[in-house]
Amino acid sequence: MINLLLFPIILPFFFAIVLLFFKENIRVQRSLTVIGLLAALTSSLFLISKVKADGVQAITLGSWPAPFGISMVSDMFSALLVTTTIIITLFVVVYSFSSIGKERERFFYYPAILFMITGVNGAFTTGDIFNMFVFFEVLLIASYLLIVLGGEKRQLRESIKYILVNVISSALFVITVAYLYSVIGTLNMADISVKIAEIGQPGIITVIAVLFLIVFGVKGSLFPLYFWLPGSYAAPPIPVLALFGALLTKVGVYAIIRTYTLFFVHDIGFTHELLLVLSILTIIAGCIGALAYFDLKQIIIYNIVIAIGVILFGVSQMNESGLSGAIFYLVHDMLIKGALFLLIGIIIYVTGTSNLRKMGGLMKTHAPLGWVYLIAAFGLAGIPPLSGFVGKMLIVKGAFEAGNVVGSIIILASSLVVLLSVMRIFIYAFWGKPVELPKTDRRPYRSMMIPSVVLVVLSVLYGVGTEWLIPYMSDATDVLLQPSIYIDAVLKE
Amino acid sequence: MKTNDVILQTTTKVVFFIIFLFSIHIFFAGHYSPGGGFVGGLLTTGAIVLLLLAFDLKTVQKALPFNFTIMTGIGLLLALGTASGSIFFDVPFFTHAFSHFNLPLFGETSLHTAMIFDAGVYLVVVGAAITMIQTIGGDT
């Protein structure tokens, strides 16, 4: 099966198309979505084992020889991200059954999710820079639908900003690819890497590297370019927010990691130093935001910004510990952000508000929710047996090895801020004097709890089972550290 | 005052078929000369828009009783199906096949699966464009 690496992309796409035919039938929509995601999950698990056994999988579409056709490449890094993406989507979809509401379900909600997953998985798997642009558009256009679906006033206002920012950054993406193409003359990522190594990264390539950083920085919310994120992400309903928070910014991060480990590795003193400074500023800006708000959504949204900074800080070290820490932290962050958004969604459902000051004493009425939230919060902050620990530890280790003492101390201090910000939610919402809760149905609460709890359990297993995951992570790191593995896999002959 | 569009409507009835045939021509010519699914689809859309201008939305819906959302879906399925066909022959995704056939009426003809893909593009373009125009133009 040489086409195995395409299945996580094709299957959601196929099911999304089929769902277009059953617009009004909600039961069919739900069951086909779950079936499609399960099938995609199975194929992506097969893909991981295949990549583990046989090394990097590459295929050039249409049987064309390698640099001329569109190559799709699945190394361990992208295979892990694809699997995580599908897992999170699966839980978010189950969560939406009881929370998104019939009106939205009848208006292409599930097809939009599946199209978005097609785009996300495609962007993770592609080996062609222009094809990456196309998959970015696939996921963005689906996300435009998801952010505006429902048509509340706030959604309409924020979706205008969101679309405007993304259209501009997409245009810049095309311009950047055009520059790169005019200098290098190829679009295949492995081939670009070879050609850049041949000419030894002159100044213009460094300029293009910075342009790529700006483009992907807008998509992935890097420091001066994250301004659109807090407003836009707070607008859509919680399941959509969970998908966005867990997946969309991470695609930008993946693209930065890919380009900065495969293309622009010959002038690290400038490009990666810039990335380092920006990532530290991102962390600081995120920390300020996370402490400033008394709104559940905003606190977790600013935690996304912090996590982006931490991951990219790990990448900017360009050594083994830093990169493998970044990969560990990236997968962890996708899982835990998904879980946290689902959990605060339940808190908002129960209390009927997202304002922390109007909550209190939930521990008496909703104890399981409290404990699960506490575990997720500790996992986010990186308390040892839980999932956030290993990644951040490796990142800090890498930074000390590279001699960035100040940076590592800022990372460690940011963990405290993260812990403080999520514990504040815990203290305000679960302790203290009980406030009067609006009357809510117990059934949706239970059916929303199940996917969230399973996701938290998965993230705990991810933390506890680190030892078992290390061979996979080191495979992923090897490809990032040695672009020759990637290049050889694509340009075989 | 009641306007009378008899000249516009009569001209439309003739011109519609010319545009439609031209769009089909453009669509089939795509492999060897400028054209293809996208322009062909847009030209067909243009023909239908002309109908919409000359008559009203309801008449056109009665004349062309398609669900254009479904049409988009069918187009996507055609495109994906053509590309996925290669999976069953264990060659890379999107590998096309072509051959020469001796068709009864056309004689020696070369047929290529890329044309089925193009037909998918054509249906998607027509379906999506008409859906947009109908949604914006309609009352609901």
Side-chain angles (χ1 to χ4, degrees), chain A residues 281-297:
Chain A
L281 290 173
T282 311
I283 295 172
I284 294 172
C287 285
I288 294 172
L291 289 181
Y293 282 92
F294 269 87
D295 183 287
L296 285 180
K297 285 185 189 173

Side-chain angles (χ1 to χ4, degrees), chain A residues 1-3 6 10 13-14 17 20-21 59-63 108, chain B residues 69-70 73-74 76-77 80 84 86-87 90-95:
Chain A
M1 277 308 278
I2 50 173
N3 288 301
L6 294 168
I10 299 172
F13 187 42
F14 173 73
I17 297 170
L20 292 179
F21 297 104
I59 192 172
T60 306
L61 300 186
S63 304
F108 301 117
Chain B
T69 318
I70 301 286
I74 293 172
L76 284 171
L77 270 187
L80 182 67
S84 317
S86 50
I87 291 175
D90 209 33
V91 287
F93 191 67
F94 254 115
T95 304

